[in-house]
Amino acid sequence: MKPCSDIKAFLCVAFISAACFLGGSAEASAQDQKQPDIYQQAEQEADRLQKLLDLEDWQVFYVDSTLKHDYPAMVAEYDKLRASKVSNMAMYQTVQDRWMDQIDKTYKKIFTPQQWAAYLKTGAAKMQKAREKRKAKTQALNKQ
């Protein structure tokens, strides 16, 4: 190849990469606008659980309050990790697991035994087992 064609090829690749990057960021910001905010997600989850588990009004209030506290707190921890430029995804997973464990502990206090059993059957038991497995794996790695 001639030196001139090498530069053209490089510029072409750089231009295409920049276009893809800018297009991707525009698409990501469009998705951010389409997704409901964290408080709306908490309300939607509380409504879903109300229908699924036949929750009383006071239970829905506590579920909603719990989620509206814990979701933003979890996101705040994510933001701290992101600001510290942490790239280890396991650390983000640990934060999520810790907050989801906290939410489940609160749910167990709010729900009746029958509601708790139904909640576990909706997939929550699998998620709890997966969190416990990740926690055990992390502890085993830390002991080495």
Side-chain angles (χ1 to χ4, degrees):
M1 272 185 147
K2 298 179 194 175
C4 185
S5 64
D6 287 341
I7 292 171
K8 285 182 184 178
F10 173 75
L11 290 175
C12 183
V13 170
F15 177 74
I16 292 171
S17 298
C20 290
F21 174 75
L22 293 175
S25 65
E27 186 178 310
S29 66
Q31 285 179 345
D32 289 344
Q33 291 173 357
K34 291 179 187 175
Q35 292 181 346
D37 73 355
I38 201 153
Y39 293 106
Q40 288 174 328
Q41 290 176 345
E43 289 172 7
Q44 290 171 352
E45 179 65 8
D47 290 343
R48 184 186 76 82
L49 289 174
Q50 179 183 24
K51 291 173 188 162
L52 184 69
L53 304 174
D54 194 30
L55 300 178
E56 300 287 329
D57 290 339
W58 67 270
Q59 291 173 307
V60 176
F61 172 78
Y62 280 117
V63 167
D64 185 63
S65 298
T66 297
L67 295 177
K68 284 184 178 177
H69 171 268
D70 290 356
Y71 280 175
M74 181 173 58
V75 169
E77 279 196 54
Y78 285 160
D79 291 342
K80 283 182 187 178
L81 290 175
R82 200 173 308 124
S84 300
K85 300 192 188 273
V86 173
S87 61
N88 183 351
M89 292 307 293
M91 292 182 74
Y92 290 93
Q93 186 68 53
T94 301
V95 168
Q96 181 183 6
D97 287 351
R98 187 170 2 104
W99 281 105
M100 295 310 292
D101 281 341
Q102 179 62 41
I103 289 170
D104 279 351
K105 286 178 189 175
T106 305
Y107 282 175
K108 192 168 185 175
K109 293 176 187 176
I110 296 170
F111 298 161
T112 65
Q114 295 82 12
Q115 290 168 332
W116 178 249
Y119 172 71
L120 291 176
K121 288 180 184 177
T122 65
K126 267 187 180 179
M127 291 188 298
Q128 286 178 350
K129 287 179 185 178
R131 288 194 303 263
E132 286 300 319
K133 189 175 179 180
R134 284 190 296 267
K135 187 177 179 180
K137 184 178 177 182
T138 302
Q139 288 175 348
L141 289 173
N142 289 338
K143 287 184 181 181
Q144 292 179 351

